[in-house]
Amino acid sequence: MRELYHPVKIGNIELKGNLFLAPVAGYSDAAFRSVCIENGACFTYTEMVSAEALVRKNQKTEILMKRAYNESAYAVQIFGPEPDVMSEAARIVLEKTHCECIDINCGCPVPKIVKTGAGSALTRDPERLYKVAKAVVDAAGGSPTNGGVPVTVKIRSGWEQKMMTWREAAQAALDAGVSAITIHPRTKAQGYEGHSDWSIMQQLVEMVDGRIPVFGSGDLFKPEDAKKMLEETGADGVMFARGAMGNPFIFKDATALLKNGTYEPVPADVRVKTGFAELERLVQETSEQHACLEMRKRFAAYSKGIQNGAALRAQIVHASTVQDYHNIFDSVLEL
């Protein structure tokens, strides 16, 4: 029987383990990905990048794709409904970043994305999904066995309960030559509400039958959730999204749980020090003003479980400089 924590291959990429950081809009920038890697993430994805914006040479879009200093391999996720635009975007991604993998977002339920025909609209339209995926696979050089860069897709279970199209979407992705499929088994209509249906993930694993890896996402908020998903579904790996926000330690904890059966919670001072490391890197990548505003929500998440956390969060929402954060935390913890 295979160990729950094990190496994974995505096309020609060999990864030491199977615990990944999902693409999280507005969160998984290079600074955050770097602290996830330091805490045991085996593979990381950028937040989703607009293919249209890339083709139009939007400078802000290029920042989203920046490789973290400690990423030996990472994936850039792109979204869009048009095969030709996605093809051109894929070429730009590889030219600008030399990333090891391109992921196609076929799962985002946000209305402004869906109404363009992108995101989870592609799960509902397997024919278009095939054309988009095939265009990106071709732009990335074709099959990884022939030197191409691996292309992966992330899908949802369907549009709504009466329109479950994950099976057709997965088949379209397979036919297009993708190297892995991730499924978040919620419908577009569910958004992030209710519960994800892991039984669908198990069915997808059976359908794919080892031809390519299948990764799972959805309702992974603690290490025990990852263990349960791997045991119940047979997925090759798991992607933490909201569960990693303010908690990059979930990778280290999940690794320890899967390998040793137990883990030790991270102490408060380590949580805060990691937050400051993320803040400093974000300042370097952008600006102090942008980084400090962005880190309000992130430090609020880091402070969960810390004594007097509510009082800290009341101050965090007003922090505007690096010194403000030091004034808040230095009096509480010896950094």
Side-chain angles (χ1 to χ4, degrees):
M1 183 177 174
R2 186 171 61 172
E3 298 289 332
L4 293 179
Y5 182 86
H6 56 79
V8 175
K9 284 191 71 173
I10 304 175
N12 50 19
I13 308 170
E14 296 190 10
L15 304 171
K16 65 178 182 180
N18 57 341
L19 303 177
F20 307 153
L21 174 66
V24 184
Y27 221 101
S28 51
D29 50 34
F32 180 61
R33 298 198 313 272
S34 72
V35 296
C36 288
I37 292 166
E38 286 171 351
N39 282 280
C42 308
F43 196 55
T44 50
Y45 291 71
T46 68
E47 57 185 290
M48 61 182 188
V49 175
S50 165
E52 190 71 39
L54 271 178
V55 171
R56 291 184 178 183
K57 298 180 171 57
N58 183 302
Q59 293 299 313
K60 291 181 180 177
T61 302
E62 289 192 23
I63 294 173
L64 299 178
M65 304 190 298
K66 183 180 177 183
R67 184 190 293 265
Y69 81 94
N70 56 356
E71 280 178 319
S72 58
Y74 78 123
V76 173
Q77 188 189 67
I78 58 176
F79 73 92
E82 301 299 334
D84 56 338
V85 177
M86 289 287 278
S87 173
E88 179 62 21
R91 281 191 282 270
I92 294 170
V93 167
L94 294 175
E95 176 189 327
K96 298 281 187 183
T97 71
H98 305 290
C99 65
E100 285 72 27
C101 179
I102 294 177
D103 188 61
I104 304 171
N105 184 310
C106 306
C108 179
V110 175
K112 70 176 182 180
I113 303 295
V114 172
K115 72 179 182 181
T116 68
S120 54
L122 288 173
T123 297
R124 181 177 64 170
D125 187 351
E127 188 175 333
R128 182 177 286 271
L129 190 159
Y130 169 80
K131 291 176 181 177
V132 165
K134 185 69 166 63
V136 174
V137 168
D138 288 347
S143 171
T145 56
N146 296 323
V149 171
V151 174
T152 59
V153 300
K154 188 175 183 184
I155 64 174
R156 284 217 165 205
S157 56
W159 188 254
E160 58 187 4
Q161 207 61 38
K162 295 178 181 177
M163 193 183 292
M164 304 294 272
T165 51
W166 62 267
R167 192 179 294 274
E168 293 84 357
Q171 188 59 56
L174 284 167
D175 292 344
V178 304
S179 296
I181 299 174
T182 301
I183 186 163
H184 182 149
R186 280 183 170 91
T187 63
K188 180 268 176 190
Q190 278 182 282
Y192 297 99
E193 302 298 321
H195 295 285
S196 56
D197 184 352
W198 291 2
S199 68
I200 289 174
M201 196 181 301
Q202 182 181 13
Q203 293 175 62
L204 177 59
V205 169
E206 292 170 357
M207 171 188 161
V208 172
D209 193 26
R211 284 175 284 176
I212 59 173
V214 172
F215 306 132
S217 180
D219 296 338
L220 294 170
F221 296 106
K222 54 187 186 296
E224 290 82 359
D225 297 332
K227 182 173 185 287
K228 187 177 179 186
M229 180 181 280
L230 291 167
E231 287 175 337
E232 290 186 1
T233 69
D236 295 283
V238 299
M239 275 196 195
F240 290 104
R242 288 177 291 167
M245 292 182 180
N247 187 27
F249 322 104
I250 198 167
F251 297 99
K252 181 167 63 174
D253 293 345
T255 301
L257 179 66
L258 295 178
K259 293 173 77 172
N260 308 318
T262 186
Y263 63 95
E264 291 291 328
V266 173
D269 64 325
V270 174
R271 296 181 68 86
V272 174
K273 286 176 181 175
T274 302
F276 273 105
E278 186 178 345
L279 170 61
E280 289 165 8
R281 292 166 197 173
L282 198 52
V283 168
Q284 292 172 357
E285 290 166 16
T286 56
S287 67
E288 182 174 7
Q289 180 184 28
H290 173 273
C292 289
L293 290 175
E294 178 62 35
M295 287 300 296
R296 287 177 179 177
K297 66 183 179 186
R298 304 190 191 188
F299 262 113
Y302 276 116
S303 69
K304 288 179 181 175
I306 294 179
Q307 190 174 3
N308 299 320
L312 292 173
R313 288 189 286 278
Q315 298 177 68
I316 288 168
V317 296
H318 300 293
S320 298
T321 65
V322 173
Q323 188 58 50
D324 286 344
Y325 284 106
H326 279 291
N327 292 343
I328 293 166
F329 286 103
D330 286 2
S331 61
V332 181
L333 300 167
E334 293 181 8
L335 293 178

